[in-house]
Structures are given as structure tokens and as C-alpha cells.
Amino acid sequence: QSALTQPASVSGSPGQSITISCTGTSSDIGDYNFVSWYQQHPGKAPKVMIYDVSNRPSGISDRFSGSKSGNTASLTISGLQAEDEADYYCTSYTRSSSPDYVFGTGTKVTVL
Amino acid sequence: EVQLVQSGAEVKKPGESLRISCQATGYSLTDYWIGWVRQTPGRGLEWMGITHVGYSDSRYSPSVQGQVTISADKSINTAYLQWSGLKASDTAMFYCAWALDGTMWWADWGQGTLVTVSS
């Protein structure tokens, strides 16, 4: 199972909005609303930011939002802050391979 | 809130065996999955496999099938990732993650276990 495709890097100035895409296939993103997004700061464990395409866990800022169209999911960070600088990974449920999940290639977000 | 506590860093030689652990606290039932994720230096995240702690259903990525064993002991809410013959290429950070049965997202993560394999 190939990884989902994300841009290697995205950058923005404080206060701006950025969007990270995550492109899969009809076997994963296209057929299931089970996309989640994880933030990882250097040397830290990943942390869930969005689940089931567009839901935020308790405690996650509403500056983070998710959506999906066809085989592509997106994470938008609005009002960009210095603390948002991190790596972001999408993951989706997939029916095409074990162990049922596939990660994206990861995106480095830089706050200018 | 569930907390996942992983075993400490390990330094091993090629060919040696190793088992690392991930204990879930703060949740008394066993209707959940534990996933194991590998991250090599400067690289992304990769699913190695998942296991249901309650009934020990384990599923593996083709890239690690036959190379590792994922298991769980529901009596102590602990999952394991085991190698019988380590290679230098197994050097990585390993994270465990927790998902409630019936959900498709990984709500909680362990702090990571660094495994270094070197002669």
C-alpha cells in the first residue's frame, strides 16, 4: 500500500491561513470518512488534531479544520501561530492492505 | 483520559531479540486497539501493525510481516512489539497509539521507545 501523498512543506506568516492536502485513492480516502490528522513537534509523539475528516477532539483549537473532496482530504490552519510550526500527517482507513491504515508522507509547516 | 506508557530506550546488537511494551492506563475495559508506528530519523510515520487488546487480533504491514510479532496481554492492559533477530535497519523510534473499538482514529499516543541496533 503506497503512502498517501502530502506536500513536503507549506509555509505562512502569522495570522494567515494555510491548507495541507492529502491525496489517496478510492480504496481509502475516496471511500471512507475515516481521515485523521496528527501534529508532531520535533522529538515529541504525534497528537491528533482532526478525526473522521472534520471533527476536532476536545481541547483542540477551532483554528484547525478538516474537509474532504473525492480522494483528497485537507487540513486548514487559520490564524497561523508560531506554535503551529510542526510536521503534520494524515492517515486514512484503507480496505486495500493490512493493517487497515495508511499514513500520508508528512508535511512540514513553517511559520515565517 | 487514556495514557500510554512505553518501555525505555534499548541498545542492541544485530541478531539479538527484543520486546518493547506499551501499557494503557486510565481505561478499565479491553475493547480497544493498539497500533505500532515506526519512525526512522528524518523520515515519516509508518504503520507496522495493530492488535486488539481484548481478543488479540493482530494485523501486520506487509513490510514487517514475519519480521516482528505484535501481541497483547489484556490482564495488564499491555501490548508488545517483539523481534527475534534484530538488524541495523530496525533502528528507529517506535510509538504505540490507542483507538477505541469502533472508532477509526488514534486518540492517544505513547511517548515513544528508541531502539538502536548497532554492532
Side-chain angles (χ1 to χ4, degrees):
Chain A
Q1 169 71 17
S2 298
L4 307 174
T5 301
Q6 298 180 231
S9 62
V10 173
S11 61
S13 299
Q16 286 186 329
S17 293
I18 61 168
T19 296
I20 303 167
S21 61
C22 171
T23 301
T25 70
S26 56
S27 295
D28 39 67
I29 293 176
D31 221 25
Y32 300 99
N33 290 322
F34 298 135
V35 178
S36 48
W37 290 88
Y38 301 84
Q39 176 192 65
Q40 186 181 34
H41 286 109
K44 300 295 187 182
K47 174 184 176 182
V48 63
M49 307 302 284
I50 294 287
Y51 69 93
D52 293 352
V53 175
S54 60
N55 295 292
R56 276 188 311 276
S58 174
I60 299 302
S61 170
D62 60 4
R63 297 187 300 104
F64 291 85
S65 62
S67 62
K68 189 188 91 166
S69 177
N71 294 339
T72 299
S74 299
L75 173 71
T76 297
I77 309 174
S78 57
L80 200 61
Q81 299 180 1
E83 68 208 48
D84 300 331
E85 184 162 297
D87 293 324
Y88 291 82
Y89 295 90
C90 59
T91 193
S92 174
Y93 178 82
T94 176
R95 65 168 178 270
S96 67
S97 73
S98 180
D100 304 341
Y101 293 89
V102 58
F103 273 114
T105 49
T107 299
K108 169 67 177 176
V109 168
T110 301
V111 181
L112 302 171
Chain B
E1 181 183 337
V2 175
Q3 289 198 326
L4 299 181
V5 180
Q6 296 186 229
S7 50
E10 301 273 2
V11 179
K12 292 289 188 179
K13 294 185 179 344
E16 290 186 332
S17 299
L18 174 65
R19 187 177 77 168
I20 62 175
S21 65
C22 169
Q23 184 175 35
T25 62
Y27 188 76
S28 60
L29 303 179
T30 58
D31 58 339
Y32 61 91
W33 294 84
I34 292 290
W36 285 99
V37 174
R38 175 170 61 190
Q39 185 168 40
T40 47
R43 300 286 298 276
L45 305 175
E46 177 191 6
W47 287 108
M48 299 180 70
I50 61 176
T51 190
H52 192 283
V53 171
Y55 48 81
S56 293
D57 174 14
S58 297
R59 306 171 188 181
Y60 298 86
S61 165
S63 66
V64 303
Q65 178 84 48
Q67 312 298 314
V68 301
T69 301
I70 293 172
S71 61
D73 184 340
K74 65 182 179 182
S75 68
I76 54 173
N77 280 299
T78 299
Y80 301 98
L81 175 61
Q82 182 174 329
W83 295 260
S84 58
L86 286 160
K87 301 175 242 183
S89 57
D90 291 318
T91 294
M93 177 69 82
F94 296 90
Y95 293 101
C96 62
W98 186 96
L100 184 63
D101 208 2
T103 68
M104 301 298 190
W105 55 290
W106 301 87
D108 294 282
W109 291 70
Q111 82 277 19
T113 296
L114 179 63
V115 173
T116 304
V117 184
S118 174
S119 55

